[in-house]
Amino acid sequence: MPKFVITGGAKLSGQIAVCGAKNSALKIIPAAILSEEPITIKNLPNIEDVDRSLELLESLGASVTRFKGGVTINTKKIKTTELDQKMADKFRGSIMFVGVMLARFGQVKFPHPGGCVIGAGGRPIDLFIEGYKAFGAEIEEDHGHFYNIKAKKLKPANYFFPLVSVTATESMLMTASIIPGKTILKNCAMEPEIEALAEYLNKQGAKIKGAGSPTIIIEGNKKLKAGIFNVIPDRIETGSFAILAAAANSEIKITKCNPEHIMTLLEIFKKIGVNFETGKDWIQIKKSGKLLAHDIKTHEYPGFATDLQSPYVVLMTQVHGSSMIHETIYDRRLIWTDMLSQMGANITMCDPHRILVQGPTKLHGKHLMSPDLRAGIALVIAGLIADGVTEIDNIYQIDRGYEQLEARLQKIGANIKRID
Ligand code: EPZ
């Protein structure tokens, strides 16, 4: 099992470029099913979840030609409407194939998606199922493992999300884009990846208005045309590297990013005393004095991203004062902090959704296991600022979302090795 071995305390400085957003790529790839013409995606992150998504697409009969930094896809020859159980089990992103298969072929059979363990009861998909029913689909669930979704004729929907969901919003947006008629989606998620998806589909002939706001209106077109897409910068990578620089009190320039997408974090940086400058596509973190604690409450975009909660907790172990971290999006997404406590952090679990972090505390290296990709990067950040050696197992979870992480961190001076 490959692992990272990190020796903390190395002086960090230099530049680190951000890759294309995992949570945009994992929707744009299945979106290729909506068109029978060639689709090209550039600035594609070279990560495990993208590999899984392209493998799943290929298993359906699509042609997938990868080139450096991107891929060309043609789904004209897709022959099956059943998602391979083994492949779909490997990542949450497999759910993004369901709506587009239903829209194009009128039917789809798939297993309950796999992926991270965070979230109550695995990763619920009730909002997706309700959404497909709103389009007139019938759902058959056999033995709780497989879903069979069929529709004689899909009709435009008028749907209000009972809960704000990023992927459920994206799934219904993609499905509606080729169902003739006017679909209205309300209480939608507003993440930048949703706006990027709509822009991309509109370039292929879709008619989508309001993406990035709570109400999205889609005039469905029978089929979409060819398209070329540049994946937007990964805002979670951007925030994670900015937090690393602040926690290590290092001069690091984060390039090929969009500072607009992490405004909530940058506003907090100003309040706690992190010195930084931003440009159109870069953030320069500078040496700072004493940093202060600051409470956060994770929230749908543009609030504090739940995916930045774990790196932020590491930062709070290094600042002066106590901070309340309230995780409102996922159950169990604070369990990883037990490992941070083993490294010397002073953390009190107030309830399953709230922890109190007292800082500053010196962290010391430990042998740990990465439970999911965001806790994984947080443990890497902790290892880089801790005394001694930190070993992190199960780094497949980290490779799911961070391209060649150790090589990129070595370039800014980190002492991190991948041991296969
Ligand atoms: C997306 O997950 C991201 N994943 C997550 O990133 C991110 O943490 C999350 O949005 C929130 O920003 C991808 O885009 C592939 P949700 P998603 O539906 O869409 C509940 C990462 O590390 N819910 O917005 O699955 C759900 O349990 C990953 O890159 C239902 O109850 O998140 C959660 O409590 C982790 N029923 C809440 O909604 C459903 O049918 C919000 O989740 C769907 C979701």
Side-chain angles (χ1 to χ4, degrees):
M1 277 264 274
K3 64 184 175 184
F4 283 146
V5 176
I6 301 166
T7 305
K11 192 178 160 331
L12 306 180
S13 69
Q15 287 200 13
I16 188 162
V18 167
C19 294
K22 165 179 90 79
N23 290 344
S24 181
L26 293 183
K27 289 72 181 240
I28 300 297
I29 290 169
I33 291 171
L34 296 167
S35 164
E36 295 186 10
E37 298 184 27
I39 302 290
T40 297
I41 304 172
K42 295 178 179 168
N43 195 33
L44 191 68
N46 188 6
I47 54 177
E48 294 292 344
D49 272 12
V50 162
D51 293 348
R52 296 302 79 77
S53 193
L54 291 173
E55 283 161 11
L56 186 53
L57 196 57
E58 231 166 356
S59 73
L60 297 171
S63 82
V64 170
T65 313
R66 295 193 77 160
F67 53 85
K68 189 160 174 14
V71 67
T72 296
I73 299 167
N74 194 319
T75 65
K76 192 175 177 60
K77 296 203 181 66
I78 284 192
K79 48 189 186 304
T80 167
T81 58
E82 181 170 342
L83 292 184
D84 178 286
Q85 156 112 29
K86 275 195 311 308
M87 288 185 176
D89 267 353
K90 281 201 186 116
F91 72 120
R92 165 85 184 177
S94 58
I95 187 74
M96 300 318 297
F97 282 72
V98 175
V100 292
M101 298 277 290
L102 176 65
R104 170 135 169 223
F105 302 108
Q107 64 177 37
V108 56
K109 182 174 176 185
F110 67 101
H112 195 293
C116 319
V117 292
I118 54 171
R123 298 293 292 279
I125 59 167
D126 52 310
L127 298 178
F128 293 79
I129 299 298
E130 290 316 305
Y132 301 141
K133 283 181 186 163
F135 285 125
E138 276 132 42
I139 319 284
E140 243 175 76
E141 192 178 343
D142 87 63
H143 319 306
H145 296 299
F146 261 98
Y147 292 93
N148 251 325
I149 304 189
K150 282 198 175 69
K152 284 184 213 48
K153 186 160 175 10
L154 289 164
K155 59 184 178 31
N158 199 333
Y159 185 69
F160 184 94
F161 286 98
L163 188 68
V164 173
S165 163
V166 174
T167 45
T169 299
E170 290 163 327
S171 180
M172 290 197 72
L173 162 69
M174 293 198 278
T175 306
S177 64
I178 60 168
I179 296 175
K182 183 176 187 176
T183 287
I184 302 174
L185 304 177
K186 289 199 170 123
N187 197 25
C188 297
M190 302 191 275
E191 269 65 9
E193 292 78 24
I194 296 173
E195 239 178 306
L197 176 63
E199 255 165 60
Y200 173 63
L201 294 175
N202 284 342
K203 269 200 285 188
Q204 293 176 275
K207 289 188 177 47
I208 301 165
K209 288 201 181 72
S213 83
T215 300
I216 302 178
I217 298 176
I218 303 112
E219 278 296 340
N221 251 346
K222 199 55 212 104
K223 279 227 171 53
L224 301 183
K225 302 193 294 295
I228 297 181
F229 184 82
N230 264 304
V231 181
I232 60 172
D234 192 311
R235 59 193 168 90
I236 306 303
E237 264 208 353
T238 307
S240 305
F241 294 145
I243 288 171
L244 165 62
N249 197 17
S250 304
E251 305 258 333
I252 295 175
K253 185 172 188 177
I254 300 148
T255 60
K256 289 180 73 184
C257 67
N258 183 344
E260 288 297 310
H261 289 165
I262 56 164
M263 286 316 287
T264 310
L265 177 68
L266 295 179
E267 285 308 309
I268 291 174
F269 271 15
K270 286 179 196 162
K271 289 199 183 105
I272 69 174
V274 176
N275 288 331
F276 68 93
E277 262 178 73
T278 58
K280 188 169 161 309
D281 62 353
W282 56 266
I283 302 171
Q284 174 68 58
I285 305 287
K286 301 189 217 169
K287 280 206 175 302
S288 309
K290 186 169 131 179
L291 298 182
L292 304 174
H294 189 280
D295 298 351
I296 58 155
K297 190 172 176 181
T298 61
H299 191 277
E300 292 86 1
Y301 193 87
F304 194 96
T306 174
D307 292 349
L308 287 176
Q309 171 254 102
S310 5
Y312 185 81
V313 170
V314 178
L315 177 59
M316 288 300 107
T317 67
Q318 302 307 303
V319 303
H320 293 257
S322 64
S323 51
M324 176 67 82
I325 312 292
H326 183 181
E327 170 56 61
T328 69
I329 304 288
Y330 285 113
D331 299 333
R332 309 203 302 237
R333 202 171 204 181
L334 286 167
I335 291 178
W336 78 278
T337 58
D338 180 48
M339 287 188 270
L340 204 49
S341 304
Q342 289 173 42
M343 294 179 78
N346 183 340
I347 295 176
T348 312
M349 180 70 87
C350 308
D351 68 39
H353 287 268
R354 259 174 283 251
I355 57 170
L356 194 68
V357 184
Q358 312 272 358
T361 49
K362 194 73 203 117
L363 302 180
H364 45 81
K366 280 293 273 188
H367 190 161
L368 305 160
M369 155 90 82
S370 168
D372 68 65
L373 68 161
R374 306 307 178 187
I377 193 78
L379 293 175
V380 168
I381 294 171
L384 290 171
I385 61 173
D387 281 344
V389 176
T390 298
E391 293 193 18
I392 302 175
D393 291 331
N394 192 26
I395 57 175
Y396 174 85
Q397 280 301 326
I398 299 175
D399 291 339
R400 281 183 53 208
Y402 298 91
E403 177 178 329
Q404 292 173 344
L405 183 65
E406 74 278 13
R408 296 157 77 201
L409 292 176
Q410 284 160 2
K411 271 218 204 88
I412 56 170
N415 184 335
I416 175 171
K417 291 188 201 58
R418 174 185 293 260
I419 313 284
D420 282 320

